[in-house]
Amino acid sequence: MGLLIKDGEIVTADARCHADIYIANETITSIGLDLQVPAETEVIDANGKLIFPGFIDPHVHIHLPFMATFAKDTHATASVAALIGGTTTFIEMVCPSRGEDALEGYHKWKQKAEGTSACDYAFHMGVTHYDAGTEAQLREIVKDGTASFKIFLSYKGFFGVDDNEMFRVLKLAAELGVITTAHCENSELVSQMQHALLAAGKTGPEWHEPSRPEAIEAEGTSRFATFVEQTGATGYVVHLSCAPALHAAVEAKLRGVKLYVESVVPHFLLDKSYAELPGVEGMKHVMSPPLRDKSNQQVLWSSLETRLIDTVGTDHCPFDTGQKLLGANDFTQIPNGIPGIEERINLMYTYGVNRGRLNIHRFVDALSTQPAKLFGLFPRKGTIAVGSDADLVIYDQEYRGILTAAKQHTNNDYCGFEGFAIEGRPSVVMVRGKVQVRDGVFIGDQGRGLFLRREPQYQKHEVADAC
Ligand code: URP
Ligand code: ZN
Ligand code: ZN
């Protein structure tokens, strides 16, 4: 049976119009005024509401063994939280530990998501070491439809790769035509700073930011960009947090490096004073790169609007207060991360679009269309067009609410944005034509989510052998 969405106002990255949308067999089959449809068609009245393409979160952690513990969500909890917040596809970072084979890790992550995710999903393949077997395994993973890599320049001895490994990953990525995403902080400098601060008795969460200053992120960004440039690869800087790192990225873009930039919701709305709160309140806000001086927020907002920043993700990574307290006596042991998959759309709509900082088309572009384009999902995802998957968010701009842990669906005992007011929320969220959420309640199929296979889409380029 078909489904008709009637009388809504469609908003995409480049258009806005009143029209009906007809959906059959999971896809959008027609868009127009007063569509004539079969008699038995189910009708959803979208009068007075906006209709956005399903949002795509390009950076989430769900299964994550990290800092002596595991992030709290399962694919079941995170996907429901995502949908309630209007995200219909997420791209999860596969992060095997350094001792684990890439392929083994990849299959482990895939098995965890299969049949349990309520929304569609894809992966970035984290490369956490590069040995004799890695290249063949990565080729197999790309053939399986995971056409993006992830590297960490930080987290020395855990997820972090050295410059030789980074070169080899980028060389292979260039040859295969896949994009490489990177966490850009200089791990050696972070480690030296951490030791010096701890030796001086500075153990609280307020020292997390000083241990990873802006210059250290700028150096990581600049070095990653140089390696991307020299290998002819395509790079994507994840969770960029501050003006100096943005300068490094833009400088590289301007000299022709194929480099894209993502920032994540916490850095637009929270600042380092949150991590300076006493006790576990501060620990809740420990993430890397750290929350920065507030002056960076204006730079991020204006750079998002003017497209120096390409996408907005979350870096969703929930650890509960018990886990955060693992670092009660040593800030370097606080599990890094904050949840956000449920809040991204409503926060960026409220504090971006409604506050006049972000054009509504750019909002759709950065949170849906660009992630789809950069990661090989467009035009199946990321737009509202005939032939696209019917992943749609019917958005109620009149809704007013306050974010709080007591009402969230993410599996955590705190909300990263506790007390923030929101002005708007999804009224109906559908995944390939199936209504999964109505007015903040999950009413759909828990196992509906599909693994999205993606083809390499960047220019292929051979580089001389690494040593
Ligand atoms: O603090 C963060 N960002 N935790 C998750 C791991 C990462 O660096 O992305
Ligand atoms: Zn990171
Ligand atoms: Zn991350």
Side-chain angles (χ1 to χ4, degrees):
M1 192 177 65
L3 176 65
L4 180 72
I5 304 175
K6 208 158 172 49
D7 286 341
E9 189 177 359
I10 298 171
V11 184
T12 65
D14 48 21
R16 184 169 189 158
C17 63
H18 280 96
D20 301 341
I21 301 174
Y22 184 71
I23 295 156
N25 299 324
E26 305 198 346
T27 59
I28 298 171
T29 57
S30 42
I31 302 172
L33 287 174
D34 299 322
L35 291 178
Q36 298 305 304
V37 297
E40 69 279 11
T41 299
E42 183 190 339
V43 178
I44 296 178
D45 179 9
N47 191 273
K49 307 240 172 34
L50 302 175
I51 308 178
F52 297 125
F55 291 96
I56 300 171
D57 192 336
H59 184 166
V60 308
H61 301 275
I62 299 174
H63 175 62
L64 183 68
F66 191 35
M67 299 184 76
T69 187
F70 289 84
K72 291 288 291 182
D73 264 323
T74 61
H75 290 80
T77 57
S79 61
V80 167
L83 283 169
I84 287 174
T87 291
T88 52
T89 296
F90 59 75
I91 312 183
E92 183 186 5
M93 304 290 178
V94 174
C95 297
S97 52
R98 261 184 92 83
E100 197 177 10
D101 269 349
L103 200 53
E104 197 185 316
Y106 179 64
H107 287 308
K108 184 191 287 178
W109 259 257
K110 256 186 102 175
Q111 272 161 17
K112 285 186 182 291
E114 203 173 313
T116 63
S117 178
C119 65
D120 289 352
Y121 57 93
F123 298 105
H124 298 300
M125 184 61 217
V127 187
T128 51
H129 70 280
Y130 205 104
D131 63 21
T134 306
E135 180 179 321
Q137 294 180 14
L138 292 177
R139 287 181 189 276
E140 193 170 332
I141 289 164
V142 172
K143 275 206 187 97
D144 189 57
T146 288
S148 48
F149 296 152
K150 166 72 186 286
I151 54 173
F152 294 89
L153 276 60
S154 71
Y155 307 133
K156 193 178 174 189
F158 198 67
F159 292 144
V161 291
D162 62 24
D163 283 359
N164 178 278
E165 291 169 313
M166 169 160 59
F167 179 81
R168 295 164 80 179
V169 174
L170 288 169
K171 174 182 177 296
L172 181 65
E175 186 202 315
L176 297 176
V178 305
I179 188 168
T180 301
T181 70
H183 174 135
C184 299
E185 290 178 298
N186 183 308
S187 67
E188 181 59 35
L189 285 172
V190 170
S191 152
Q192 295 295 338
M193 300 291 280
Q194 287 177 332
H195 281 113
L197 287 162
L198 290 176
K202 296 171 174 171
T203 59
E206 69 275 25
W207 297 105
H208 178 68
E209 201 278 340
S211 77
R212 323 172 84 96
E214 295 175 6
I216 283 183
E217 188 185 343
E219 190 281 337
T221 306
S222 169
R223 184 159 38 96
F224 174 60
T226 304
F227 275 64
V228 167
E229 182 176 24
Q230 295 304 318
T231 53
T234 301
Y236 176 98
V237 177
V238 298
H239 53 37
L240 182 139
S241 73
C242 60
L246 186 66
H247 277 280
V250 171
E251 203 269 322
K253 283 183 187 233
L254 286 175
R255 64 174 198 268
V257 183
K258 288 173 280 172
L259 190 72
Y260 298 93
V261 174
E262 166 201 275
S263 289
V264 295
V265 179
H267 292 116
F268 288 91
L269 296 172
L270 307 172
D271 61 67
K272 67 180 182 180
S273 66
Y274 284 83
E276 289 164 356
L277 293 168
V280 77
E281 285 308 310
M283 295 177 207
K284 287 178 185 175
H285 296 98
V286 166
M287 67 201 75
S288 296
L291 293 175
R292 298 297 190 191
D293 186 87
K294 202 170 175 54
S295 57
N296 287 289
Q297 290 176 1
Q298 177 51 35
V299 177
L300 295 189
W301 282 112
S302 59
S303 303
L304 177 61
E305 178 77 340
T306 57
R307 297 171 185 268
L308 297 178
I309 293 172
D310 297 283
T311 64
V312 178
T314 56
D315 198 11
H316 176 77
C317 189
F319 293 105
D320 69 16
T321 47
Q323 293 172 307
K324 289 282 181 181
L325 284 164
L326 290 170
N329 301 315
D330 174 351
F331 71 87
T332 68
Q333 303 303 312
I334 302 168
N336 285 200
I338 185 173
I341 202 167
E342 191 167 351
E343 295 89 8
R344 178 178 65 131
I345 306 311
N346 296 332
L347 286 170
M348 294 306 285
Y349 183 82
T350 303
Y351 296 96
V353 177
N354 270 1
R355 296 289 181 277
R357 292 165 166 147
L358 189 59
N359 173 281
I360 196 163
H361 299 290
R362 182 70 192 117
F363 162 74
V364 175
D365 192 40
L367 281 74
S368 177
T369 311
Q370 287 305 320
K373 286 185 171 172
L374 293 176
F375 297 117
L377 295 169
F378 190 86
R380 178 176 179 187
K381 309 285 189 190
T383 193
I384 300 179
V386 171
S388 296
D389 280 359
D391 292 354
L392 298 170
V393 175
I394 303 178
Y395 201 75
D396 178 2
Q397 313 152 76
E398 307 304 324
Y399 176 83
R400 296 291 178 267
I402 306 286
L403 296 178
T404 176
K407 291 193 187 157
Q408 76 185 1
H409 300 83
T410 298
N411 185 27
N412 203 4
D413 62 357
Y414 78 92
C415 169
F417 304 90
E418 185 73 29
F420 273 67
I422 50 166
E423 300 162 8
R425 76 164 180 190
S427 168
V428 173
V429 181
M430 64 181 69
V431 176
R432 286 174 283 105
K434 167 92 180 64
V435 175
Q436 294 284 76
V437 168
R438 264 188 200 269
D439 298 321
V441 180
F442 179 72
I443 56 161
D445 289 349
Q446 183 64 64
R448 182 158 183 79
L450 286 182
F451 167 60
L452 302 170
R453 285 174 196 282
R454 299 172 293 125
E455 291 296 319
Q457 61 173 17
Y458 291 93
Q459 197 187 350
K460 296 186 179 168
H461 183 86
E462 297 270 349
V463 187
D465 265 349
C467 45

